[in-house]
Amino acid sequence: MPPIPTAELHLHIEGTLEPDLAFALAERNGVALPYATQEELRAAYSFSDLQDFLNLYYALMTVLRTEDDFADLTDAYLARAREQGVRHAEIFFDPQAHTARGVDIGTVIRGIGRALDAAPRTYGITTRLIMCFLRDESAASALETFEAARPHLDRIAAVGLDSAEVGNPPSKFREVFALAREAGLKCVAHAGEEGPPAYVWEALDVLGVDRIDHGVRCLEDEALVSRLVADRVPLTVCPLSNVRLRVVDRLEDHPLPAMLDAGLLVTVNSDDPAYFGGYLGDNVIAVRDALGLDEATLRTLARNSFQAAFLDEETRAAYL
Ligand code: HPA
Ligand code: ZN
């Protein structure tokens, strides 16, 4: 069966940096990597938790320096995504991870933007860009980042919240999310990946988010599930990521079927595919096989992805 056309809504562009491109960019930019070979690097892809992954994720992205680097990274993702059924992609980027290294935010946005502009023609993929704030950085840093991005807001559809969750609740970012909403942007936040259901409540009630990224821990709180179902709040679930970051022990134990049974608007996504063992279609096949999902369920997941996407109603209708 060819891949079902799907929208990917939870994808960190920096998490698509494959070892071969990382080594090529390291050489192009004269950046030293602490790994002699691609095999040595791949051997480091065994993570104990989110922070363990983030340490490598931030270390490896130091090879990204120029507009061309960001364009090449994004183009490589789009080429693979197309093969795996993606027809619409809403892509996260982490500006602070680059500005902290002296890379201008305009360089990042123009580079990614160049590849996104070409995507409908080159790959038949429509896109949106989502600017994430690093929640383990300060609220002041997020505000500074938002102001630095103001000249580029025509390219940005939404703001998000990622990086180390526990100890960094959504309420820390109340002010910058209010500014983003005032500017007409949509809002999303990672919540309930490693963090408790209380963080999902905060993302909804304090930040006013339109979607929850991950959210798998919502099942621990019946009232929260009722709220998410009643308001049709989409949850962008990332099965292979959850296994690799030990949010769940085994894919066979993943709560995706329970989430669907509860009536939640769940989508399947790849998160950081270069690190977690697969792109979107690989995630779909993995959950199909591990959880015994039938074709009707897979079609529901694909349909959910377009329902949850930040599309105008005419475009959404064309995809559905
Ligand atoms: N969670 C939080 N932050 C992240 C992730 C994730 O899965 N991937 C990249 N940044
Ligand atoms: Zn993520």
Side-chain angles (χ1 to χ4, degrees):
M1 191 177 89
I4 302 171
T6 302
E8 172 139 75
L9 306 178
H10 186 153
L11 181 281
H12 302 264
I13 199 64
E14 296 89 348
T16 70
L17 181 56
E18 293 283 348
D20 57 344
L21 184 58
F23 274 86
L25 294 181
E27 180 154 343
R28 183 155 104 186
N29 293 324
V31 175
L33 284 177
Y35 304 93
T37 63
Q38 290 183 40
E39 290 66 40
E40 217 178 274
L41 170 58
R42 280 215 184 265
Y45 288 18
S46 165
F47 309 113
S48 54
D49 59 14
L50 174 59
Q51 188 61 57
D52 190 34
F53 154 70
L54 289 170
N55 293 340
L56 180 64
Y57 170 80
Y58 293 125
L60 205 57
M61 71 172 76
T62 59
V63 302
L64 298 165
R65 301 216 58 92
T66 70
E67 205 174 299
D68 282 351
D69 298 342
F70 287 95
D72 291 350
L73 175 73
T74 306
D75 185 73
Y77 161 68
L78 292 163
R80 299 195 68 158
R82 171 74 206 192
E83 289 172 8
Q84 299 230 345
V86 176
R87 294 295 181 276
H88 176 75
E90 303 195 348
I91 295 176
F92 298 135
F93 73 112
D94 287 328
Q96 290 153 294
H98 311 301
T99 55
R101 304 181 286 109
V103 178
D104 180 69
I105 195 167
T107 299
V108 180
I109 295 174
R110 279 190 300 273
I112 297 171
R114 193 204 301 163
L116 298 187
D117 287 347
R121 247 180 309 113
T122 314
Y123 301 113
I125 298 179
T126 54
T127 65
R128 299 279 183 274
L129 191 54
I130 303 178
M131 177 169 74
C132 286
F133 304 112
L134 301 183
R135 68 200 309 154
D136 44 354
E137 297 295 330
S138 67
S141 173
L143 284 164
E144 226 174 83
T145 302
F146 185 72
E147 293 311 324
R150 272 207 196 268
H152 309 283
L153 288 189
D154 57 330
R155 281 201 172 276
I156 295 171
V159 295
L161 192 61
D162 65 3
S163 202
E165 186 181 4
V166 174
N168 296 294
S171 51
K172 179 175 162 187
F173 299 95
R174 178 196 306 260
E175 205 179 335
V176 75
F177 273 69
L179 286 178
R181 275 188 280 111
E182 268 170 43
L185 301 186
K186 299 282 192 185
C187 297
V188 300
H190 284 53
E193 180 187 19
E194 286 189 344
Y199 285 18
V200 180
W201 282 110
E202 277 192 14
L204 296 170
D205 291 337
V206 180
L207 304 186
V209 298
D210 300 281
R211 295 196 298 244
I212 296 287
D213 296 313
H214 292 297
V216 288
R217 288 194 59 193
C218 75
L219 292 176
E220 297 168 27
D221 181 337
E222 228 172 273
L224 176 57
V225 172
S226 300
R227 164 76 182 279
L228 292 165
V229 171
D231 289 355
R232 303 267 299 151
V233 179
L235 303 176
T236 62
V237 172
C238 306
L240 290 175
S241 164
N242 292 156
V243 174
R244 290 296 188 101
L245 299 187
R246 311 214 183 165
V247 171
V248 301
D249 289 336
R250 306 177 315 149
L251 204 51
E252 288 76 5
D253 305 325
H254 198 281
L256 182 70
M259 297 174 88
L260 286 164
D261 286 348
L264 292 161
L265 186 63
V266 182
T267 70
V268 168
N269 308 268
S270 70
D271 206 4
D272 300 282
Y275 294 90
F276 299 151
Y279 285 75
L280 186 129
D282 303 319
N283 272 267
V284 171
I285 289 167
V287 290
R288 181 195 68 191
D289 294 348
L291 301 168
L293 304 184
D294 61 16
E295 190 179 335
T297 305
L298 300 182
R299 295 209 174 270
T300 297
L301 289 166
R303 192 175 169 80
N304 286 354
S305 74
F306 291 111
Q307 298 281 14
F310 296 140
L311 291 167
D312 62 74
E313 293 315 314
E314 194 181 332
T315 314
R316 192 191 317 283
Y319 278 123
L320 283 172

